[in-house]
Amino acid sequence: MSDPTNPTPTTPDPELPSSEGPQPEPSQPDTPPPTPLPPPVAPPETPPSAPPATPTPLKSPFSEEEARLRTQLYLTKRLDYQAEYYQKRSDEFNFNSDRMLYVSAGIMFVSTLVSSFSVVSGWPIWALITALLPAFAAGVSAFRSLYQWERQASLYDEAWIALQQARLTMPDEDYTEPGDYQRSLPQLVDQTEEILRGEAGQWGQINLAVKSGAQNGQTVAPPAAANGE
């Protein structure tokens, strides 16, 4: 029997469950498993660069003999005809410009002679002629500048020279090879037509100069009047 004054601690029976119940284990946070890294991807192999493709020349729609005949026809009816026209116009305008220059210089020379004779003779009529001749010479010079023959002749000369240069694209008939006329005919036509368009554009610039001169009170002869059209 136990002594109430000296209590002894009682040890719980290990077989009996505790009144507090089983202690729960601490919960672990649900962490996802680490994602495996993807394997390294090798860079794509760069294919070797292909050599630049050689441009294939356009096949001419004409045979060599037909291209030769068309070239001769184009030279005769287009290039040579236009070059002859330019040459005639250039000669005509140069002649008109030189003739007006010679007339003006001749009038001034006659005016000098008449002036010297009027001093010796003392006649009033010679003094009047001496005063009028320089005015005639100035009128001839103004007429020459009005039509701009030198400028128009230079345009025709430049176009004629350009046509002769375009003619050099043609092969020499004594040293032709198969396919020369087929290759040179398109170049000849392109260069010739470009020259003719440029020559026509020059007249358009002169027309603009005529209009601007008329607005500014200046008188400039249009190309149609100078060409006699």
Side-chain angles (χ1 to χ4, degrees), residues 113-129:
L113 295 181
V114 172
S115 177
S116 301
F117 184 75
S118 65
V119 173
V120 177
S121 63
W123 291 357
I125 187 64
W126 294 113
L128 178 61
I129 295 175

Side-chain angles (χ1 to χ4, degrees), residues 122-208:
W123 291 357
I125 187 64
W126 294 113
L128 178 61
I129 295 175
T130 302
L132 293 178
L133 287 179
F136 285 133
V140 172
S141 298
F143 182 78
R144 177 172 175 266
S145 300
L146 175 67
Y147 283 94
Q148 298 184 350
W149 283 310
E150 289 183 351
R151 181 179 180 183
Q152 298 182 51
S154 65
L155 293 179
Y156 285 127
D157 289 338
E158 293 175 358
W160 183 87
I161 294 174
L163 287 180
Q164 302 308 314
Q165 293 177 348
R167 192 186 186 94
L168 296 178
T169 59
M170 300 305 303
D172 191 351
E173 295 183 357
D174 297 334
Y175 302 96
T176 56
E177 297 180 358
D180 284 348
Y181 285 101
Q182 292 177 333
R183 291 188 296 268
S184 59
L185 177 59
Q187 299 178 3
L188 174 66
V189 174
D190 291 342
Q191 292 186 16
T192 302
E193 297 303 323
E194 184 178 358
I195 292 169
L196 299 183
R197 287 193 297 268
E199 183 264 337
Q202 293 290 336
W203 296 118
Q205 294 180 6
I206 292 181
N207 289 330
L208 292 177

Side-chain angles (χ1 to χ4, degrees), residues 48-131:
S49 58
T54 304
T56 304
L58 296 178
K59 185 178 181 181
S60 175
F62 313 118
S63 63
E64 180 68 10
E65 181 63 20
E66 187 177 2
R68 185 182 66 82
L69 295 177
R70 286 177 178 270
T71 300
Q72 294 177 354
L73 181 64
Y74 186 83
L75 288 175
T76 304
K77 299 300 183 180
R78 182 62 167 168
L79 193 148
D80 292 343
Y81 177 81
Q82 199 69 25
E84 183 180 359
Y85 170 79
Y86 289 160
Q87 186 66 46
K88 290 181 179 179
R89 281 300 192 181
S90 177
D91 294 342
E92 177 185 354
F93 290 156
N94 284 324
F95 175 77
N96 292 338
S97 179
D98 295 341
R99 181 173 57 182
M100 291 295 102
L101 179 62
Y102 295 151
V103 170
S104 177
I107 293 176
M108 292 300 298
F109 178 73
V110 173
S111 174
T112 302
L113 295 181
V114 172
S115 177
S116 301
F117 184 75
S118 65
V119 173
V120 177
S121 63
W123 291 357
I125 187 64
W126 294 113
L128 178 61
I129 295 175
T130 302

Side-chain angles (χ1 to χ4, degrees), residues 31-56:
T31 57
T35 304
L37 296 177
V41 179
E45 297 182 358
T46 304
S49 58
T54 304
T56 304

